[in-house]
């Protein structure tokens, strides 16, 4: 019994350590690449094979927090998530990583570059249908 608890705790610590390590490498990458390439434009560097650094977490709530302890609900609220299928963007920080690990069973997390980060208003605008109408196919008789 005690060995099972210890192994679960070690697994959680290893997961947290790997997440923090990945954040450290992605946060160190922009400073080193931007210092040498600050005078060049972003277009040629992306064509040369340099990938844009991953600087943010894209967090989507996939499972509901109904029936869970208040601790989980409070963590979701601190992340800015209020309902299922809602997506928020958080910068890579140890605080955000810790919050994500607390609710890792409920959320889906992706690393995204800063160019893909959307505000709440931008996400809403992307979901809206275009105004007006379009004639798709005319039936001539």
């Amino acid at each position: 019994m005690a060995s099972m608890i210890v192994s679960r705790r070690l697994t959680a610590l290893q997961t947290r350590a790997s997440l923090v390590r990945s954040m450290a490498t992605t946060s160190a990458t922009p400073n080193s690449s931007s210092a040498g390439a600050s005078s060049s434009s972003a277009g040629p560097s992306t064509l040369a094979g340099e990938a844009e650094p991953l600087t943010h977490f894209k967090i989507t709530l996939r499972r509901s927090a109904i029936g869970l302890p208040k601790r989980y609900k409070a963590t979701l609220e601190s992340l800015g998530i209020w309902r299922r299928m809602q997506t928020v963007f958080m910068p890579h920080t140890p605080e955000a990583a810790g919050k994500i690990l607390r609710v890792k069973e409920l959320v889906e997390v992706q690393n995204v570059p800063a160019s893909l980060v959307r505000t709440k208003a931008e996400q809403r605008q992307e979901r809206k249908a275009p105004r007006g109408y379009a004639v798709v196919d005319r039936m001539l008789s």
Side-chain angles (χ1 to χ4, degrees), residues 59 74-81 88 90 95-96 99-100 103 107:
I59 309 163
T75 303
L76 290 172
E77 288 178 14
S78 70
L79 284 170
I81 301 175
V88 295
M90 301 281 291
E95 293 82 13
K99 291 174 187 178
I100 291 168
V103 293
V107 296

Side-chain angles (χ1 to χ4, degrees), residues 12 15-16 24 39 65 74 84 132:
T15 305
R16 177 175 279 178
S39 61
R84 277 189 69 227

Side-chain angles (χ1 to χ4, degrees), residues 68-88:
L68 293 178
K70 291 181 182 179
R71 180 183 132 201
Y72 290 97
K73 294 177 184 180
T75 303
L76 290 172
E77 288 178 14
S78 70
L79 284 170
I81 301 175
W82 299 97
R83 63 186 73 84
R84 277 189 69 227
M85 305 310 286
Q86 182 181 0
T87 300
V88 295

